[in-house]
Amino acid sequence: MEKIIDEKKQGESLILEQKDGNTRKLFIESYGCQMNFSDSEIVASILANEGYNTTQQLEDADLVLVNTCSIRDKAEQTVRKRLEKYNAVKKINPTMKVGVLGCMAERLKSKFLEEEKIVDLVVGPDAYKDLPNLLSEVDEGRDAINVILSKEETYGDISPVRLNSNGVSAFVSITRGCDNMCTFCVVPFTRGRERSRDPQSILEEVNDLWNKGYKEVTLLGQNVDSYLWYGGGLKKDFEKASDLQKATATNFANLLELCAKAQPKMRFRFSTSNPQDMTLDVIETMAQYNNICNYIHLPVQSGSNRILKEMNRQHTREEYFELIDNIKRLIPDCAISQDMIAGFPTETEEDHQDTLSLMEYVKYDFGFMFAYSERPGTLAERKMEDDIPEDTKKRRLNEIIQLQQKHSLYRTQQHVGKVEEVLIEKSSKKSDAHWSGRNSQNTVVVFPKDNYKVGDFVNVKITDCTSATLIGEAVGLSMNNS
Ligand code: SAH
Ligand code: F3S
């Protein structure tokens, strides 16, 4: 029997699924991308069958797992700091075991066991099903490691345990790995080849979430537009598939439609889109279904054609503009966000100006902006010198951030005066008398609670805004409530 424990923490309702009879305590925390958070839910599910329930108290844990990120050097340093903290806790809880999961585990492999005394277990992103075996080795006092990457594993058969959930929105992963080989990026090395998950298992997870009361699903992948199911197998082997497999294959637009139709009252989002793989039929499907949110995270990294080429991004600035124009033509109120990298090797002031002018053209709703961080093993690291001085990187990054803030405010101001549907997720961080939720465009909306509750779709009149938040007043429940 599974029971649901509801507890209040920092104004948020934390729902922990626990399994009766489990006696061991697992403390699991995640760094980096949404995929890592989603993977930790898979790991918690695997370990629930091994006698582990999750705990929020590090000091109580029998097993501590940290799901790690390698995307930038700083992300790795954050994890190293956490290991120091575990070290301190181990002094008062000496039987506690520590495992490292995710991208750093894959990148550093057995080096982790040598470099960090505290670590007992190293498990790469495709090896989580081996955790029960690995843990029995650890129980017998040996260090354990599995960092084998897979061409098939999608964890499609595992029903994730929802961790730290608001009970309203959830992630569902649809692809794993990435074949794109952007020259700055470590992901293809740490997460392996791209493979798609059986749409049937995706729909089952979506339906199950709906039955548990969830109202919004974000479909996750490194490159969702590249999703392709033809009965299993790597994306790159599709050419070798039979005619029947090709004729009955499911692409990302098909998958979106399947989800939108299966649960017409549920909201669907997805992340991340790669401009080179996003097709018109995806945008048309978004336009056709009200319950697919009008928001696209569309990283571009740079506005300079020369830098885009050096990054091995497979599109030009002009092709990107064409995609943006098509999105705005088919979905005029679609929000678009970006990822940008400042100071990629050889980037000149002129290249940087191209990035700023691209931003002026798109006027993104928001963005995630980074200074270039050289990653060991990537093509950029092997072939190019990290030649932009740190202070130049910082200055360019600041200019990008400043411009984004201006555009974010411009975009939020466009919402003022409108009535928009908001899905309530939690209490506002700043005020317990206000709800916080998001509109279709993924912008946070804050408004007085009245008699509404978490999980309600509410029509909110937007009265004011900052560059990051819309402020409003509820005018009634939306038609979407069942
Ligand atoms: N397709 C992926 C991208 C993963 S990386 C996704 O699902 O989001 C997320 C972002 O980190 C990238 O878009 C890029 O802007 C940034 N990034 C990746 N490698 C980087 C590096 N070496 N230095 C700085 N930023 C990097
Ligand atoms: Fe990385 Fe490019 Fe894939 S940013 S995750 S290699 S699309």
Side-chain angles (χ1 to χ4, degrees):
M1 259 288 283
E2 285 189 352
K3 68 180 174 205
I4 307 284
I5 300 175
D6 242 323
E7 61 178 36
K8 276 270 183 206
K9 199 184 169 195
Q10 294 169 354
E12 285 182 35
S13 151
L14 264 180
I15 300 176
L16 300 177
E17 291 174 55
Q18 304 288 27
K19 206 165 170 182
D20 282 351
N22 277 353
T23 54
R24 297 169 108 186
K25 292 195 186 118
L26 164 69
F27 178 90
I28 184 164
E29 62 181 345
S30 313
Y31 292 88
C33 65
Q34 292 165 333
M35 188 67 89
N36 259 5
F37 286 78
S38 170
D39 279 1
S40 291
E41 300 188 331
I42 288 166
V43 168
S45 171
I46 292 169
L47 292 185
N49 293 327
E50 298 298 310
Y52 287 91
N53 275 345
T54 51
T55 172
Q56 304 286 314
Q57 247 56 54
L58 175 58
E59 291 75 10
D60 293 348
D62 299 298
L63 175 64
V64 175
L65 294 177
V66 57
N67 205 339
T68 61
C69 174
S70 286
I71 202 78
R72 284 168 291 276
D73 184 55
K74 208 169 144 217
E76 294 204 349
Q77 295 314 322
T78 308
V79 170
R80 300 268 186 186
K81 279 256 154 58
R82 274 313 271 170
L83 293 177
E84 284 173 25
K85 168 78 182 168
Y86 302 161
N87 229 336
V89 172
K90 187 146 182 161
K91 294 207 171 84
I92 47 172
N93 179 4
T95 57
M96 175 181 106
K97 302 290 182 198
V98 173
V100 181
L101 315 176
C103 289
M104 268 177 96
E106 193 62 48
R107 196 178 83 69
L108 293 164
K109 302 186 169 60
S110 59
K111 252 199 249 167
F112 238 128
L113 296 170
E114 293 152 24
E115 287 173 9
E116 302 277 358
K117 276 261 153 315
I118 181 87
V119 175
D120 307 290
L121 177 71
V122 175
V123 194
D126 286 345
Y128 298 144
K129 281 189 190 154
D130 196 28
L131 269 164
N133 298 325
L134 296 165
L135 281 170
S136 39
E137 281 194 43
V138 170
D139 277 343
E140 285 164 22
R142 290 189 297 274
D143 286 347
I145 178 165
N146 185 343
V147 287
I148 296 170
L149 287 172
S150 161
K151 291 181 180 166
E152 289 96 31
E153 186 60 83
T154 60
Y155 300 110
D157 52 339
I158 292 185
S159 165
V161 167
R162 304 289 161 185
L163 298 168
N164 298 340
S165 169
N166 55 19
V168 175
S169 49
F171 297 125
V172 171
S173 76
I174 64 163
T175 68
R176 297 186 73 82
C178 185
D179 284 351
N180 274 347
M181 296 305 259
C182 301
T183 56
F184 53 82
C185 185
V186 78
V187 170
F189 302 94
T190 59
R191 288 190 163 268
R193 303 311 302 257
E194 184 182 310
R195 64 222 101 114
S196 296
R197 175 178 169 190
D198 184 344
Q200 217 44 52
S201 83
I202 296 171
L203 287 174
E204 276 163 26
E205 191 171 335
V206 164
N207 290 335
D208 183 51
L209 283 164
W210 177 258
N211 292 335
K212 286 179 173 152
Y214 285 82
K215 301 288 172 65
E216 182 183 281
V217 158
T218 303
L219 304 173
L220 280 187
Q222 299 300 336
N223 179 7
V224 285
D225 302 279
S226 180
Y227 176 89
L228 187 64
W229 173 261
Y230 59 98
L234 291 176
K235 167 84 184 246
K236 73 169 181 58
D237 293 333
F238 180 63
E239 283 311 311
K240 293 184 223 149
S242 70
D243 288 346
L244 180 66
Q245 279 178 316
K246 283 184 185 160
T248 55
T250 307
N251 66 18
F252 184 56
N254 304 143
L255 179 71
L256 268 181
E257 179 161 48
L258 285 172
C259 290
K261 276 188 174 161
Q263 290 302 341
K265 294 195 175 237
M266 194 160 201
R267 265 187 181 180
F268 290 94
R269 301 185 183 279
F270 51 88
S271 190
T272 299
S273 294
N274 190 309
Q276 74 196 48
D277 293 306
M278 184 161 216
T279 49
L280 262 188
D281 58 348
V282 170
I283 309 167
E284 282 160 358
T285 308
M286 291 174 74
Q288 196 182 337
Y289 291 91
N290 252 337
N291 58 333
I292 305 176
C293 289
N294 292 346
Y295 167 56
I296 304 174
H297 182 49
L298 199 61
V300 67
Q301 322 295 0
S302 169
S304 150
N305 275 334
R306 193 183 66 81
I307 295 292
L308 285 172
K309 200 153 185 221
E310 292 287 2
M311 288 175 159
N312 193 31
R313 305 284 290 186
Q314 306 282 325
H315 64 84
T316 61
R317 171 189 174 93
E318 292 72 25
E319 284 163 340
Y320 188 78
F321 286 157
E322 201 181 313
L323 180 58
I324 298 285
D325 292 347
N326 278 327
I327 294 169
K328 295 281 180 180
R329 179 172 55 81
L330 290 165
I331 314 169
D333 67 344
C334 193
I336 301 172
S337 60
Q338 43 89 347
D339 286 350
M340 275 316 167
I341 297 179
F344 184 79
T346 74
E347 186 187 72
T348 62
E349 281 309 315
E350 200 186 332
D351 294 321
H352 171 59
Q353 289 304 323
D354 284 349
T355 295
L356 297 178
S357 72
L358 177 139
M359 290 175 72
E360 279 295 356
Y361 185 90
V362 183
K363 293 193 175 55
Y364 293 99
D365 290 72
F366 33 93
F368 304 90
M369 297 146 285
F370 315 99
Y372 174 67
S373 164
E374 187 177 74
R375 307 313 293 134
T378 57
L379 209 70
E381 184 259 346
R382 285 183 280 139
K383 296 269 155 65
M384 302 179 92
E385 194 192 334
D386 183 7
D387 60 353
I388 308 300
E390 275 316 301
D391 53 346
T392 309
K393 281 185 192 170
K394 279 226 174 78
R395 197 245 314 143
R396 289 180 187 165
L397 177 61
N398 272 334
E399 287 173 15
I400 292 171
I401 292 172
Q402 295 292 321
L403 186 59
Q404 182 53 53
Q405 256 171 359
K406 190 178 111 188
H407 291 156
S408 294
L409 182 61
Y410 165 78
R411 287 294 178 195
T412 51
Q413 280 168 345
Q414 310 301 306
H415 294 266
V416 175
K418 293 188 179 154
V419 174
E420 301 187 336
E421 185 188 75
V422 177
L423 172 59
I424 302 179
E425 290 171 22
K426 56 191 177 186
S427 282
S428 155
K429 263 189 222 128
K430 289 197 185 138
S431 150
D432 211 34
H434 289 73
W435 288 127
S436 168
R438 280 172 295 156
N439 63 8
S440 174
Q441 288 83 358
N442 206 36
T443 311
V444 172
V445 184
V446 170
F447 59 97
K449 282 187 174 172
D450 297 333
N451 290 324
Y452 302 104
K453 57 184 193 308
V454 167
D456 281 347
F457 285 101
V458 180
N459 288 326
V460 177
K461 168 126 198 199
I462 310 299
T463 54
D464 201 357
C465 68
T466 68
S467 64
T469 310
L470 302 175
I471 297 141
E473 279 161 30
V475 294
L477 280 174
S478 105
M479 301 267 288
N480 213 359
N481 284 284
S482 47

